[in-house]
Amino acid sequence: MVYFQNPENALKRAKEFIEVNKKNDALDTLHEVLRMRRHRQYQHDLHEPIITLYLSLCVELKKGHAAKEGLYQYKILTQNTDINSLEKVIRRFVQTAENRAEEASKEAKSSKGDMADVEDLDMLYTPESLMLSTVSGEDDQDRADRTVLTPWVKFLWEVYRHVLDILKNNNKVEKLYQDMAQLAFTFCIKYERKTEFRKLSDSVRNHLNLIIKHSHQANSINLNDPVSLQLHLDTRLYQLDCAIKISLWQEAIKTINDIHSLMQLSKKKPKPQALANYYKKQALVFSKANNRLFEACALMKHYQLVFDQKKTATVEEKQMLASGVLMATLAIPLPASMSENEKYLDLQNSTKDKNMTLASYLDLQHAPTRETLIADIVKQGIPGKVYPELQPLFKILEVDFQPLKLCSLVDTMLKEVEKTYPDLTSYAEDVREVAVLRLMRQLAQVYDKISISKVVSLIPYIEPLELELLIIEPAKTLDLQLRIDHSTQTFIFGSTIQYQREETTR
């Protein structure tokens, strides 16, 4: 290897190597200049062209680790003298890598399909994939497309990862770090890279832990600064949005936990608009987890923020939000008492701990229940602020006592809602199930026994077997004192069950 006294000579020699198509030699020449101590006296007009040419060669040759090493050396040169040059160089480098991946995507005629069988970009070829490739029926075009696209997507992934590693915990490039993190998450969405999304989320989480651990080092980020904290919150909210788009619900929950931890560090609450968006995303995550209780809580928090802060909200918008809160609340299953086995295994405390953790994400002091949420929506006057078609629903389901009409009224109303407001249809089936259990409780107050056919006739949307499956759990936990007598095809309620049990034990 030739050592150059003057960096200009090295740059000239590298260009000569490029002209004769010896790009690897050109890359080695520029790398030696960047790493040698004798050339650590920064000169903008000299060093920036060197690193620019160096990185362009790294892109052409798809050498991610060499690019990382060069950027690291350039960071040492510029972070105390010309930080703007470092930012410009990194943005140009990332843009070039993105452009090359986009060109490969167009050439391969697909940006997703050819990547579907590559589970992990850090390990393109596994023994299993090689064996399958020998017996697969893919044609030459499919194989060529994957050969064109996959290396560039892999290189782009390396670029994002290396850039974030270089920029971590440095307050001089804090905004650049957050921009690169959001671009990396966008990359995962564009190419549907779930494995890389998980790795990226872990990396960003580890970088945050480094900030907290090494907060007293020179140039480290200060999370007590509202601007810095807001940048991190914006990135986490974008990360949460991407996790939802790519259907990684476990990562979404982890991100919610990260956002909650950042909010705990802040001395003041985030902007109402950001907070409202956060609660809206939480509601979607809880919906996917089929946790109607906390979905309703999140929608309630979102509704309150919009109602209190957004003075320009239209009547239609307020009706839509109020209707969502009402339907989510009514869809919460009626609470069942704990069985003896669950009490013995202390599952009740475990559930309480889980609910308290989820409640803390919503800034609640106590775990919510269906009853407290019902009381809250009554206090807020929400039943009177919903769509006109929904206004009688709360009274029918939670106030009135009319077992002979309950389910038919609810079903008629929900059919109209499903036809008029498609966004609320996801709650309809759960509300119908709640109506069935409410009906059985009301019947238990009136009858000692009633025929199964009579009950089925009161519920226009259910079959006898479905009815039995629905009420068996409440009956098992003694939340609903009921026994099914198949010999007489009747439901037996309350004191009759207790009397028959006493007769059996004599």
Side-chain angles (χ1 to χ4, degrees), residues 137-147:
E138 66 178 0
D139 56 26
D140 293 339
Q141 181 62 47
D142 292 337
R143 192 177 296 108
D145 287 350
R146 189 171 64 253
T147 304

Side-chain angles (χ1 to χ4, degrees), residues 14-15 17-18 22-31 57:
K15 291 179 179 178
F17 279 133
I18 293 172
K22 292 185 177 180
K23 295 180 180 179
N24 282 301
D25 292 337
L27 188 68
D28 292 338
T29 301
L30 295 175
H31 182 263
L57 287 170

Side-chain angles (χ1 to χ4, degrees), residues 66-279:
K68 180 182 180 181
E69 177 63 23
L71 282 173
Y72 178 76
Q73 298 297 337
Y74 195 68
K75 173 188 171 186
I76 294 174
L77 281 171
T78 59
Q79 69 175 351
N80 293 320
T81 55
D82 191 2
I83 199 68
N84 292 330
S85 176
L86 176 64
E87 179 173 347
K88 183 169 69 173
V89 164
I90 287 178
R91 288 188 185 277
R92 186 190 299 127
F93 170 52
V94 172
Q95 185 63 53
T96 304
E98 288 177 339
N99 291 341
R100 293 302 295 267
E102 185 65 29
E103 290 171 7
S105 175
K106 292 178 181 177
E107 185 179 346
K109 302 178 183 178
S110 172
S111 63
K112 298 174 185 177
D114 301 315
M115 300 294 300
D117 57 344
V118 181
E119 185 174 345
D120 189 345
L121 289 175
D122 293 328
M123 191 166 58
L124 290 179
Y125 300 106
T126 63
E128 294 84 357
S129 66
L130 290 173
M131 291 177 64
L132 286 172
S133 66
T134 61
V135 296
S136 65
E138 66 178 0
D139 56 26
D140 293 339
Q141 181 62 47
D142 292 337
R143 192 177 296 108
D145 287 350
R146 189 171 64 253
T147 304
V148 169
L149 178 60
T150 304
W152 281 112
V153 174
K154 180 180 187 297
F155 175 72
L156 183 55
W157 162 243
E158 291 177 351
V159 167
Y160 288 128
R161 189 173 53 183
H162 295 328
V163 165
L164 289 173
D165 197 49
I166 289 170
L167 299 177
K168 65 186 179 186
N169 197 20
N170 190 327
N171 58 14
K172 295 184 178 181
V173 288
E174 185 178 6
K175 179 66 168 63
L176 179 60
Y177 173 89
Q178 303 298 342
D179 291 345
M180 292 298 108
Q182 293 191 25
L183 284 175
F185 285 120
T186 303
F187 158 83
C188 294
I189 296 299
K190 181 177 180 179
Y191 295 99
E192 296 185 356
R193 303 307 309 164
K194 293 189 176 184
T195 300
E196 283 67 38
F197 188 94
R198 294 187 186 95
K199 291 181 179 180
L200 179 60
S201 298
D202 289 339
S203 294
V204 172
R205 197 169 293 118
N206 290 334
H207 293 169
L208 179 61
N209 291 333
L210 284 176
I211 292 173
I212 297 171
K213 185 177 180 180
H214 303 293
S215 59
H216 301 295
Q217 290 183 353
N219 298 327
S220 64
I221 294 172
N222 179 16
L223 289 176
N224 292 323
D225 181 3
V227 176
S228 296
L229 190 63
Q230 188 61 48
L231 286 173
H232 281 272
L233 280 173
D234 290 343
T235 299
R236 292 312 187 284
L237 287 169
Y238 185 74
Q239 178 184 347
L240 177 59
D241 187 43
C242 291
I244 291 171
K245 287 181 180 177
I246 205 170
S247 300
L248 288 175
W249 304 109
Q250 287 292 338
E251 289 300 324
I253 287 291
K254 290 179 183 178
T255 306
I256 288 173
N257 184 51
D258 294 339
I259 295 171
H260 173 68
S261 299
L262 284 170
M263 288 180 176
Q264 295 299 105
L265 294 174
S266 176
K267 295 180 180 178
K268 63 177 184 179
K269 285 190 174 183
K271 297 176 183 177
Q273 184 177 1
L275 204 56
N277 183 42
Y278 169 58
Y279 289 137

